[in-house]
Amino acid sequence: MAFYLAVDLGGTKTEYVLADETRELARVRGGTIKRMRTDATTAEENFTQAIRELEQMSGVSVRDITRSCVGAAGVTVALVTDWIRKIFAERIGGSLILVGDVEIALDGAFFGGPGVLVMSGTGSNVAGRTAAGKLTTAGGWGPALSDQGSGSRIGQQALRDTTLAVDEERETTLLPAILKLWNLRDFDELVAYANQVPAPDFTKLAPEVVSCAAAGDAVAQGVLRREAEELAHLARLVIDRLRRVDTRSDWLPDLAFTGSILEHVAPIREGIVESLRRELPALKVVPGMVDPTLGALWRARHG
């Protein structure tokens, strides 16, 4: 019997799935093994713990694995790829496929086919793949330059809109919510805290924005609406690129979502779809959230 190992290698955690040809046998979440984010000793300890748990849960030795697929950001960085290839050659049986994290996410949604995937968590990115397999992306340039619709951007924009509301003498429940979260006494302390170097973690404000928006706060609702529109704009750019190279005049790629913001913040997800369907009413959306690890498993099974 053939066995397959799928790995979604992130900067803070790593997801593993061990499966046979039809069934998922074990799933483990461990610490990062990305060498740009941790030292070699810690990465090896995290990897050892994860494969030990996989073996205990599945009853399968990792030496008996037929093929593995690892998806990771930074696959062009030798520090990342050399270490992965070395540790897999030493510890895991079979062959190894090493690809970018965007590719396994697309495979999780479209199983090697064309489509557009919107990703939003701490950061954000939109990726598309043509029928010929060519990748294209928009956004993903980091919190200082883009990350539309991400947790970081939602928090940062909430602060900006809150200060504007103060200037305009408008009430917003965001202000007391932010002060309470950050344990600050008043607006002056907020100004100093938000402008400190290094900056605070703006991502932590995102749940407060969602809560205030759900309770009817206009400022919070405006933040989520604008971020959804901006992320939808990036998705439209990618959709248009794919359509330009497709020979079918009426073809429209399907849309899929992945990431914690898109999973848990319905106004962002729904706002993206609403914005795109104004001009593309036939747009089809893949239900649920894409699991990139299952994309890596699909690729491992299919070689």
Side-chain angles (χ1 to χ4, degrees):
M1 177 178 289
F3 298 106
Y4 304 96
L5 177 62
V7 182
D8 179 12
L9 198 168
T12 58
K13 66 181 186 300
T14 305
E15 301 275 357
Y16 305 80
V17 170
L18 179 60
D20 60 21
E21 294 170 342
T22 59
R23 298 173 301 146
E24 183 177 309
L25 304 176
R27 179 182 285 259
V28 168
R29 173 179 291 182
T32 185
I33 59 171
K34 189 174 183 179
R35 283 289 287 106
M36 290 173 63
R37 294 297 184 94
T38 191
D39 60 88
T41 299
T42 302
E44 186 163 357
E45 289 174 353
N46 289 341
F47 187 70
T48 299
Q49 177 64 26
I51 61 175
R52 182 183 299 122
E53 291 180 20
L54 286 171
E55 290 181 326
Q56 290 173 347
M57 293 171 65
S58 66
V60 175
S61 169
V62 294
R63 293 289 186 183
D64 294 330
I65 288 172
T66 305
R67 187 162 48 245
S68 300
C69 176
V70 177
V75 291
T76 59
V77 180
L79 178 64
V80 174
T81 58
D82 289 352
W83 189 87
I84 294 171
R85 294 187 188 283
K86 178 177 180 294
I87 199 74
F88 269 72
E90 293 173 349
R91 309 286 293 278
I92 308 297
S95 59
L96 171 66
I97 301 170
L98 181 56
V99 295
D101 56 346
V102 170
E103 291 182 75
I104 63 167
L106 283 165
D107 284 339
F110 307 113
F111 308 107
V116 174
L117 179 67
V118 182
M119 298 165 275
S120 181
T122 302
S124 72
N125 190 15
V126 179
R129 183 166 56 198
T130 69
K134 183 178 180 181
L135 299 181
T136 183
T137 63
W141 308 119
L145 302 177
S146 60
D147 280 355
Q148 295 89 329
S150 68
S152 177
R153 178 77 168 260
I154 289 169
Q156 194 170 45
Q157 288 302 128
L159 285 171
R160 290 172 176 166
D161 286 6
T162 297
T163 56
L164 179 60
V166 170
D167 286 336
E168 294 175 342
E169 300 180 333
R170 290 188 293 133
E171 293 290 329
T172 173
T173 57
L174 273 175
L175 179 56
I178 294 169
L179 293 176
K180 182 179 179 180
L181 177 70
W182 277 346
N183 196 28
L184 303 172
R185 289 178 296 182
D186 53 32
F187 181 70
D188 289 337
E189 281 198 1
L190 173 61
V191 172
Y193 187 78
N195 283 302
Q196 68 181 327
V197 178
D201 184 0
F202 298 126
T203 304
K204 292 183 178 180
L205 297 179
E208 301 299 325
V209 180
V210 175
S211 178
C212 289
D217 185 84
V219 175
Q221 289 173 344
V223 171
L224 298 182
R225 183 167 53 250
R226 185 173 60 249
E227 292 306 306
E229 290 280 351
E230 293 197 5
L231 199 45
H233 176 66
L234 296 182
R236 180 59 191 268
L237 294 177
V238 174
I239 289 170
D240 288 346
R241 288 178 202 163
L242 299 191
R243 297 184 80 188
R244 284 199 300 267
V245 300
D246 197 277
T247 57
R248 297 163 289 180
S249 60
D250 60 345
W251 178 74
L252 187 62
D254 289 352
L255 184 75
F257 295 122
T258 191
S260 58
I261 291 295
L262 295 170
E263 180 178 3
H264 299 295
V265 185
I268 295 287
R269 185 178 65 252
E270 293 166 0
I272 293 169
V273 175
E274 179 183 350
S275 177
L276 290 171
R277 281 182 173 163
R278 289 185 202 127
E279 296 184 51
L280 303 169
L283 179 70
K284 294 180 180 179
V285 179
V286 176
M289 291 292 115
V290 171
D291 182 351
T293 313
L294 295 184
L297 177 58
W298 179 88
R299 190 167 285 233
R301 282 172 169 163
H302 292 80

